[in-house]
Amino acid sequence: MANPRIVVTRKWPASVEEALKKEFDVALNATDRPMTVAALKQALGNSDALCPTVSDHINADVLSAQPLRAGIVASYGVGFNHIDLDAARSRGLVVTNTPDVLTDCTADLAMTLLLMVARRAGEGERELRSGHWSGWRPTHMLGARVSGKTLGLIGMGRIARAMAHRAHHGFGMKILFTDPYPPPPEVIRGLAAEARGSVEEILREADFVSLHCPGGRETHHLINAERLSLMKPSAFLINSARGDVIDQHALIEALKTHVIAGAALDVYEGEPAVPEELKHMENVVVLPHLGSASSETRIAMGMRVLENLRAFFAGKEPRDRVA
Ligand code: DGY
């Protein structure tokens, strides 16, 4: 029997592509550019599995593909708000993601964002590289201290807990969190963390607010102008979750009018487009969705996709099934 045919929407690490090719008939998108809606529909019609990434919009239109040959959408990434799960279910498609393997790497990046914005690292590097550094002086580029400050986490899933671990045990930070599904009591004790009943309480109390909730309808523009106005003027907002959790226009206004001290972002509404204003503000760190971008992690994520495909085509329940 012929191997199942798999369409992979972007380039994968070489070792993962090789492993995939040993078991499947793989069609790679050699351009490594986003595939069009028509091409994604065609892939669903002429292959047994589609492997998109978190930057492919697998919406109801894509999932309305006729004919439909694919049985599984095996996504490369933990977030799945880029896939219309209801539409996938209605077409009988199984959907999988790649949790766990990117937790530490993404928490490392969230801490990087926090440190960069507090200690003005991007701004400092830009000054030095442009030849404008005039030497050490007591008042030069003073940032905000991190150690001992209060970190407020909105969402307390795997990545938030890993960030809390780094912040509390590495930087002596006090941890506050809010989550409708809080972690077990022993996890909370281990982080000396304190729960708060609302996003508003976190915003009022924290020196650094880090977002760790999923994207999608329920959290769309959770951080809006009104909520930003609750933050301390000295506080920083960190986003390594999903871009549309923040109303980007409200954030730009809040930064311009010094409602908050700064922001550090790895994700954007409508990315890869990033508003010019954000790119030009010195108190903003902008990274290009690097959360899970280490070689080890991206290989582990790819291997997890492979594991899900293998299970599906062996007639078993894939480990990371989300629909
Ligand atoms: C994911 O997997 O959802 C991340 O955003 C990728 O870094």
Side-chain angles (χ1 to χ4, degrees), residues 54 76-80 98 102 106 240-242 266-267 289-293 298 301:
V54 295
Y76 194 120
V78 66
F80 45 82
T98 64
L102 45 64
T106 309
S240 59
R242 281 295 178 264
D266 189 42
V267 286
H289 205 149
L290 293 179
S292 60
R298 288 287 165 84
M301 290 165 74

Side-chain angles (χ1 to χ4, degrees), residues 158-222:
R158 286 173 286 239
I159 297 169
R161 293 179 212 177
M163 184 186 191
H165 182 84
R166 285 153 177 72
H168 180 66
H169 295 291
F171 294 87
M173 296 180 87
K174 175 177 172 182
I175 308 297
L176 306 179
F177 71 92
T178 184
D179 194 314
Y181 306 99
E186 64 275 15
V187 172
I188 300 178
R189 268 197 306 278
L191 297 166
E194 290 176 26
R196 293 289 182 268
S198 66
V199 168
E200 283 74 11
E201 285 168 80
I202 297 284
L203 295 172
R204 281 194 194 97
E205 288 183 59
D207 299 306
F208 297 90
V209 174
S210 189
L211 304 177
H212 296 278
C213 46
R217 268 195 298 272
E218 283 177 18
T219 56
H220 185 259
H221 288 189
L222 177 78

Side-chain angles (χ1 to χ4, degrees), residues 26-246:
V26 183
L28 295 167
N29 171 16
T31 65
D32 203 16
R33 310 284 305 171
M35 282 170 63
T36 61
V37 169
L40 290 167
K41 280 180 159 175
Q42 198 181 21
L44 286 169
N46 66 16
S47 66
D48 301 298
L50 175 67
C51 297
T53 70
V54 295
S55 67
D56 296 306
H57 301 292
I58 311 299
N59 54 24
D61 182 17
V62 170
L63 290 164
S64 70
Q66 289 292 357
L68 178 69
R69 170 170 152 188
I72 178 168
V73 175
S75 190
Y76 194 120
V78 66
F80 45 82
N81 63 309
H82 59 295
I83 304 174
D84 185 328
L85 295 186
D86 290 335
R89 280 188 203 102
S90 75
R91 300 300 310 276
L93 281 156
V94 166
V95 179
T96 58
N97 69 341
T98 64
D100 306 322
V101 289
L102 45 64
T103 300
D104 282 325
C105 199
T106 309
D108 290 348
L109 199 278
M111 265 326 279
T112 305
L113 289 171
L114 186 157
L115 291 164
M116 281 183 75
V117 73
R119 300 302 305 274
R120 302 172 66 175
E123 198 182 339
E125 209 201 19
R126 284 189 290 278
E127 183 189 72
L128 184 147
R129 283 178 188 263
S130 66
H132 289 107
W133 182 34
S134 65
W136 192 95
R137 55 201 192 277
T139 57
H140 180 223
M141 217 170 263
L142 306 184
R145 184 183 158 105
V146 170
S147 295
K149 293 279 182 71
T150 298
L151 171 63
L153 298 158
I154 296 182
M156 195 56 167
R158 286 173 286 239
I159 297 169
R161 293 179 212 177
M163 184 186 191
H165 182 84
R166 285 153 177 72
H168 180 66
H169 295 291
F171 294 87
M173 296 180 87
K174 175 177 172 182
I175 308 297
L176 306 179
F177 71 92
T178 184
D179 194 314
Y181 306 99
E186 64 275 15
V187 172
I188 300 178
R189 268 197 306 278
L191 297 166
E194 290 176 26
R196 293 289 182 268
S198 66
V199 168
E200 283 74 11
E201 285 168 80
I202 297 284
L203 295 172
R204 281 194 194 97
E205 288 183 59
D207 299 306
F208 297 90
V209 174
S210 189
L211 304 177
H212 296 278
C213 46
R217 268 195 298 272
E218 283 177 18
T219 56
H220 185 259
H221 288 189
L222 177 78
I223 304 300
N224 54 21
E226 200 183 327
R227 292 211 170 96
L228 284 163
S229 74
L230 302 175
M231 290 175 69
K232 300 180 190 180
S234 56
F236 297 90
L237 182 64
I238 321 294
N239 192 8
S240 59
R242 281 295 178 264
D244 60 2
V245 177
I246 301 179

